[in-house]
Amino acid sequence: KFIKTPWLIWLLVTSIGSVIGITLGARMSPLVQSTLVGLFIGFGQLVILGSILKGAWRWAPATAIGLPFGYYIGGMVIDLLFSEFSPYAWVQVAIAASIAGLFIGLLQWLALRRKWKNALRWILVSALSWGIGITATFSFIYDRYFLSIYLGYWSAPISGLFLGLFIGIISGVFVESILMRTEHKDIAAFSHAS
């Protein structure tokens, strides 16, 4: 059955996946937490993509691998670019997060490139959505508002919700523009959408 409101469902599954991943990984290493976030977001998004594209199962592992790997590479780039901690730490977060999104998008593109010809654009959408999502959530909302309030256990799910909302809103616009151009599982319809 064709999903009539892909943007809203994309936003919902991205947000739920982010909440679950960040909450489960809250007391774990950043590597494990980012893997869980990528896995749960990727699995949620796979529910939508799998209803449209055959062979989309690679999406979830691509997301789970891309986030920790990309964020690690992003951290290395930050170490090379900045010798000291910048008073504008959000710039460093934005660069690292955008690089993480770039790697996620690249791996997702590799997973779907034969099924979805417009998937190359997805690399840029992914970099933008993760760059804005992580930066807005952790450098602005969390640092400026949540640190002054004791949220206890709720800190992780609330952060996950904001992250998922930002990523889902930005990436969901692109996904909807593609998904709304087809009404069936015909892969050719995807390949002709421009």
Side-chain angles (χ1 to χ4, degrees):
K1 182 179 176 185
F2 179 68
I3 299 170
K4 297 292 182 187
T5 57
W7 180 82
L8 184 59
I9 295 170
W10 185 269
L11 175 63
L12 182 65
V13 299
T14 302
S15 298
I16 291 170
S18 180
V19 168
I20 293 169
I22 287 182
T23 303
L24 290 178
R27 300 196 185 271
M28 298 181 190
S29 72
L31 175 67
V32 173
Q33 185 179 40
S34 60
T35 302
L36 288 171
V37 171
L39 181 66
F40 284 103
I41 288 176
F43 180 74
Q45 293 171 344
L46 174 63
V47 171
I48 295 171
L49 294 174
S51 70
I52 305 294
L53 298 171
K54 293 179 183 178
W57 65 268
R58 295 177 196 96
W59 186 268
T63 311
I65 294 166
L67 181 56
F69 182 71
Y71 214 70
Y72 177 76
I73 298 298
M76 289 175 48
V77 169
I78 294 305
D79 288 343
L80 291 172
L81 293 177
F82 299 93
S83 60
E84 297 179 11
F85 190 73
S86 169
Y88 300 104
W90 68 269
V91 173
Q92 294 175 344
V93 172
I95 292 169
S98 296
I99 291 171
L102 189 73
F103 274 91
I104 295 166
L106 178 64
L107 291 179
Q108 290 170 336
W109 172 75
L110 289 171
L112 294 182
R113 72 182 185 274
R114 292 190 179 108
K115 309 260 182 227
W116 181 14
K117 290 185 181 174
N118 285 328
L120 188 58
R121 293 181 194 162
W122 179 256
I123 297 170
L124 297 176
V125 171
S126 179
L128 181 67
S129 63
W130 283 93
I132 291 173
I134 290 173
T135 305
T137 300
F138 296 106
S139 292
F140 293 104
I141 295 171
Y142 188 83
D143 283 357
R144 297 206 176 151
Y145 301 106
F146 292 169
L147 286 180
S148 62
I149 304 170
Y150 177 74
L151 296 172
Y153 170 80
W154 293 102
S155 177
I158 292 170
S159 296
L161 178 63
F162 277 102
L163 177 63
L165 288 172
F166 283 114
I167 294 168
I169 288 169
I170 296 166
S171 63
V173 171
F174 180 79
V175 169
E176 183 172 52
S177 72
I178 297 300
L179 295 181
M180 293 304 285
R181 293 180 187 174
T182 184
E183 295 181 4
H184 46 77
K185 287 190 173 190
D186 183 5
I187 301 304
F190 265 90
S191 64
H192 295 302
S194 297

